[in-house]
Amino acid sequence: MMIKAENITVCYRMANDKIQSIKEYLVALLKRKLKYDEFRALQDVSFEIEKGEVIGIVGSNGAGKSTLLKVISGILRPTTGSVTLEGNVVPMLELGSGFDFDLSGRENIFLNGAILGYSEKFLKEKYDEIVEFSELGEFIDIPVRNYSSGMIMRLAFSIASQVVPDILIVDEILAVGDAAFQEKSYARMMELMSHGTTVLLVSHNIDQVRRLCDRVIWLDHGKVVAIGETEELCDAYMKTQQR
Amino acid sequence: MKNKAIRICLVAMALYLILGVAFYFIAGDSLHATANSIETVTAKASLGEFTAGEKIRQSFVCEFDELTSISLLVGTNARENNDMILVEILDENGQAVIEPIRMATAKLKDNTAYTVVFPTPITEARGQRFVLQLTSRYGAPKNAICFYYGNSVDTGRFDFNTQIDEADALCVYEGDKFVPFKDTEGNICQLCLSLNGTDNHWFGKYYWFLYAGGALLLLLGLAYQYLCFQKGKKTLILSVALSIQKYSFLIRQLVSRDFKSKYKRSVLGMLWSFLNPLLTMSIQYVVFSTIFKSTIPNFIIYLLTGIICFNFFSEATSMCLVSIIGNASLINKVYVPKYIYPFSRTISSGINLLLSLVPLLIMLLITRTPITPAILLLPFALLMLFFLSYGVGLLLATMMVFFRDTQFLWNIFSMLLMYMTPIFYPDTIIPDRFMSIYKLNPLYHVIRFMRSILIDGVSLEPKAYLYCAVLCLIPFLIGLVVFRKNEDKFVLNI
């Protein structure tokens, strides 16, 4: 068993106004208007994923897909329930979020790599490979604030895709950059998935899900609608979407 | 991994053993006893020539464990006087406590304090009332010294008239009895005198027992941690040690990022870490030494120590304050233990602090302040300051996530704290009745500690270590607990 999720529930407490200062808090407290609306982003979600499976997660906007990925990567702790994982997790949730725009590309490789949990030795070994893959060449020594958005995505993808993780968590990042780089990054993704890696993939591209995934988890309004075979569930899901 | 754990245990043990012995010798006598001195009054006028047959008595209550000497302010009328003064210390019943001391007046200097050292210190003197009796043997007009009296206390900028108790009055021998001396305005006065003594500390006496006890505790603790480690059980210390190892690379990267982005695009770069405390010190030095006429000895070092400490505290806490909300994008996307963010910020401020010790050292050399081995105790003060700042930083970072007003409140509060810390003024100007509140400020203790080892070159009394450690570690623990309790809610609120 690679991933075991048991009765995950995530509740957000939404105050009727977003209270962000002590004054507002005290005023609300005095007026007894401090009510909270509970919003359940995930409700009682349970599943088990075996080693090497590629799982697609589908659902309309606000179904709780990203919340589920955050819970599994450990970013968000579920209100109740638990997740057990075996092995290292690499979340590719939003590329380049750890970049410091005042630092050069080279410095950012080390900073971002450290944030992703790579060791110093590993990064030094892979440094040339990262630079080569990102196709940045001499731009690697100028501050990232001068990069184009495509360059930033290329660098971020090159860093994130260096390690072959036990569990890979992907949120719609299968293709970045221009057509040539999209092809290259797609190939890299395939390579990462082919090493017996367990993959959790969120995608709105149903064709992609059909092509890549062994099984599918279908979420709607925070609840699991169904877990099952790709073709079957994709068909059913598409039907609800077309209506 | 197993070998490494054993190595760490051995290193910890060896460090304790070495540091414990080193500490005993560096801290030296101040572990056993600290010298103290109390002055009575500021000189106002002379008692006139002290001639044969005259006697004066000054009663006082000793505030030390041991009384070792007294210093008398004498005037010679700028000539050599061949008199012999008999110095006696009597107890309340008029019995001599020490052998009478003969004080030859020939070599005395005009208007200076002459110290009379007792052949043996008076022990168990605390709280006891003694009488100092001075008698002239051969004094004659034009061949006699004089003593000074007064009825006010100098506190730096003002003289305060003190209410002198009847019992503490200076008495002169008239006829056949001692009567209180009155000045021209009819006030009771005191002899200008300072009492020198020592306070004993039990800590020094039992140091080696405590040392052995500590070693035993450490050994047991390490053995317990090691067993837990082998069984794979998680203890607090173990998980801290493991995560420090695991995230040391990340911390290094975050610290170097702080530094690079702080000094990026500035011409002088790192040099600012040296210049900043020096320039602040120069301004305050000019302001306080010329406008406010500060009388603090070695004022340059006094100021610089305070400025460096407070700058670190204020920089570290305000950087920690925004460390969580400032890294919101990261916290939302990647799992990293959240205490890493304030920790790396405190470390970067800490490196800044170490850099600013360089100008401090240079100023020590320029002002010719003697540097003693006591300077090796500096890491203790710095470590405590680090814990304090990190703890307060954790607390502020947590509050900031839920209430954005924290940053404005903290600006005001840290200004208040600055004035409540003796950075540019001596702590003696604080009235006694506020002192107990004033002493709750951990920065006061840290700065006092640093000044003692830098300016006086001696360690403070053992109690000072305790105050320093307790007052710094309590905020640290509070910060840690509050942070750990709330860190799971951060993602939902940033």
Side-chain angles (χ1 to χ4, degrees), chain B residues 12 24 47-48 55 94 107 129 226 230 234 254 287 311 339 428 457 463 489:
Chain B
Y24 185 80
L47 278 168
K55 274 185 192 179
K107 296 236 166 89
R129 187 169 276 283
Y226 184 69
Q230 271 195 324
K234 274 202 174 163
L254 288 172
V287 170
N311 273 5
Y339 61 85
T428 44
K463 241 190 210 164
K489 295 184 215 150

Side-chain angles (χ1 to χ4, degrees), chain B residues 49-92:
Chain B
E49 286 184 333
F50 194 55
T51 49
E54 276 191 65
K55 274 185 192 179
I56 51 174
R57 272 188 176 183
Q58 173 65 58
S59 168
F60 59 89
V61 175
C62 182
E63 289 173 35
F64 319 119
D65 291 338
E66 282 183 12
L67 192 63
T68 50
S69 64
I70 54 165
S71 304
L72 293 159
L73 186 63
V74 292
T76 62
N77 296 321
R79 62 174 180 237
E80 196 180 302
N81 305 295
N82 283 308
D83 189 7
M84 180 74 78
I85 309 270
L86 200 64
V87 181
E88 289 169 285
I89 302 283
L90 314 172
D91 65 11
E92 271 178 301

Side-chain angles (χ1 to χ4, degrees), chain B residues 246-428:
Chain B
K246 190 171 169 191
Y247 292 106
S248 66
F249 176 52
L250 173 60
I251 293 168
R252 257 183 296 143
Q253 286 299 323
L254 288 172
V255 169
S256 88
R257 175 197 49 183
D258 282 346
F259 257 79
K260 281 174 189 155
S261 47
K262 185 173 173 188
Y263 292 125
K264 209 130 212 179
R265 294 205 250 178
S266 73
V267 181
L268 292 178
M270 285 275 271
L271 218 58
W272 278 115
S273 288
F274 301 112
L275 279 178
N276 202 16
L278 274 183
L279 293 176
T280 321
M281 191 237 14
S282 312
I283 293 170
Q284 296 199 349
Y285 181 76
V286 170
V287 170
F288 290 104
S289 65
T290 58
I291 301 173
F292 290 100
K293 303 248 186 305
S294 169
T295 54
I296 301 168
N298 211 342
F299 190 50
I300 290 185
I301 304 297
Y302 188 90
L303 251 181
L304 202 54
T305 321
I307 291 170
I308 286 175
C309 285
F310 193 82
N311 273 5
F312 164 71
F313 177 77
S314 106
E315 187 194 322
T317 48
S318 53
M319 270 171 75
C320 283
L321 181 87
V322 290
S323 65
I324 295 295
I325 58 160
N327 282 309
S329 63
L330 264 182
I331 289 168
N332 263 319
K333 300 294 178 292
V334 193
Y335 172 75
V336 170
K338 291 175 195 69
Y339 61 85
I340 296 273
Y341 298 110
F343 187 72
S344 71
R345 290 287 166 90
T346 320
I347 292 268
S348 6
S349 310
I351 292 174
N352 225 342
L353 170 70
L354 292 182
L355 288 178
S356 59
L357 288 182
V358 175
L360 179 64
L361 202 70
I362 293 170
M363 290 318 277
L364 276 176
L365 294 175
I366 290 176
T367 55
R368 305 245 170 103
T369 313
I371 296 174
T372 64
I375 203 169
L376 295 172
L377 298 168
L378 205 60
F380 172 78
L382 298 181
L383 198 68
M384 287 304 134
L385 191 59
F386 180 86
F387 276 120
L388 172 72
S389 311
Y390 183 42
V392 174
L394 283 173
L395 191 68
L396 290 173
T398 313
M399 284 170 68
M400 188 61 186
V401 172
F402 301 105
F403 294 113
R404 302 293 150 106
D405 299 33
T406 311
Q407 54 187 330
F408 306 112
L409 287 172
W410 182 246
N411 279 346
I412 301 298
F413 187 80
S414 67
M415 193 166 74
L416 176 72
L417 199 64
M418 190 184 90
Y419 287 109
M420 282 181 65
T421 309
I423 295 172
F424 45 76
Y425 59 82
D427 57 1
T428 44

Side-chain angles (χ1 to χ4, degrees), chain B residues 439-450:
Chain B
K439 279 184 174 174
L440 285 177
N441 177 3
L443 286 171
Y444 164 78
H445 294 274
V446 173
I447 293 177
R448 191 172 94 98
F449 188 94
M450 283 181 62

